[in-house]
Amino acid sequence: MAQQPSFVGSGAAVAVISPQYCCPYPVDLAIVRKVMTITDGNFVVTDTNGNILFKVKGVFLTFIHQRRVLLDGAGNPIVTLREKAMTAHHRWQVFRGESTEPQDLIFSAKTSSVWNVRTKLDVFLANNTKEDVCDFRVKGSWFERSCTIYAGESSTIIAQMHKKHTVQSILIGKDNFAVTAYPNIDYAFIVALIVILDEINHASSSSSGGGAADVGADFGAMFSG
């Protein structure tokens, strides 16, 4: 009989970026982005009342180096997300503030298979240098905005994402989806993972030529409830 998934409840906070983003209750986040890009101003995360909690700023470096900065609602940098160039897997590193120094590394994330991006995304905290077992993992479909984030290799769910269809989103060409971070889970960490997933999917779609749509669709299967 298949093991049933469990959900994080009360207990110690899982503070990957900061304990200030951990709440004793589920946190629902609404994410709005323009369909074609998530450059500065086009990727906004709000609470259920429409208050802006996070924004994403793109930083242009070179063709092989991509960087994003996650800002709080007031525009202060929280973390910097940098793609690690020339690796077999899509791999991103996340650092505190606007730093990219090794001592400020918080976590890294990579696709678990070079050929099957639908399988999962593995996440490793900075102190997990051997990377034998992931600390978190993401499974689902980005194309469908349907994904679940788990603690390590367990069946314990820490966050889930699903797409939101509205008449307004269709008319104005925006992509709306929602994420629920479970109690005591660092929701800034969850948002950072979503930015990484979006970037990986965009890169796969842009570089795969005729197969881009298929790759995007497979990766899309990473997010829904």
Side-chain angles (χ1 to χ4, degrees), residues 30-31 33 142 145 161-164 175-178 194:
I31 299 174
R33 65 184 286 272
W142 178 257
R145 301 300 184 262
M161 171 182 171
H162 59 90
K163 188 162 180 114
K164 293 175 65 178
D175 181 15
N176 296 357
F177 47 98
I194 290 169

Side-chain angles (χ1 to χ4, degrees), residues 89-163:
H89 301 257
H90 287 291
R91 187 180 186 101
W92 282 74
Q93 296 175 309
V94 178
F95 303 84
R96 295 198 180 281
E98 293 184 284
S99 173
T100 54
E101 296 299 322
Q103 65 268 24
D104 293 316
L105 179 68
I106 303 173
F107 70 90
S108 61
K110 68 175 183 177
T111 52
S112 58
S113 169
V114 178
W115 306 112
N116 185 8
V117 293
R118 184 171 182 169
T119 304
K120 62 180 178 178
L121 185 75
D122 291 335
V123 181
F124 304 94
L125 297 178
N127 59 5
N128 184 359
T129 54
K130 291 186 178 180
E131 297 188 355
D132 292 331
V133 179
C134 63
D135 296 290
F136 304 93
R137 78 190 198 293
V138 185
K139 296 181 68 176
S141 164
W142 178 257
F143 180 75
E144 297 171 6
R145 301 300 184 262
S146 165
C147 111
T148 302
I149 303 173
Y150 298 89
E153 294 290 348
S154 73
S155 61
T156 301
I157 296 171
I158 65 170
Q160 289 184 300
M161 171 182 171
H162 59 90
K163 188 162 180 114

Side-chain angles (χ1 to χ4, degrees), residues 52 56 73 85 147-148 161 165 185 213 221:
I52 295 177
V56 176
C147 111
T148 302
M161 171 182 171
H165 291 288
I185 299 301

Side-chain angles (χ1 to χ4, degrees), residues 16-36:
V16 176
I17 292 176
S18 172
Q20 77 180 84
Y21 300 113
C22 298
C23 297
Y25 48 84
V27 175
D28 292 317
L29 303 172
I31 299 174
V32 179
R33 65 184 286 272
K34 289 185 178 178
V35 173
M36 298 306 293

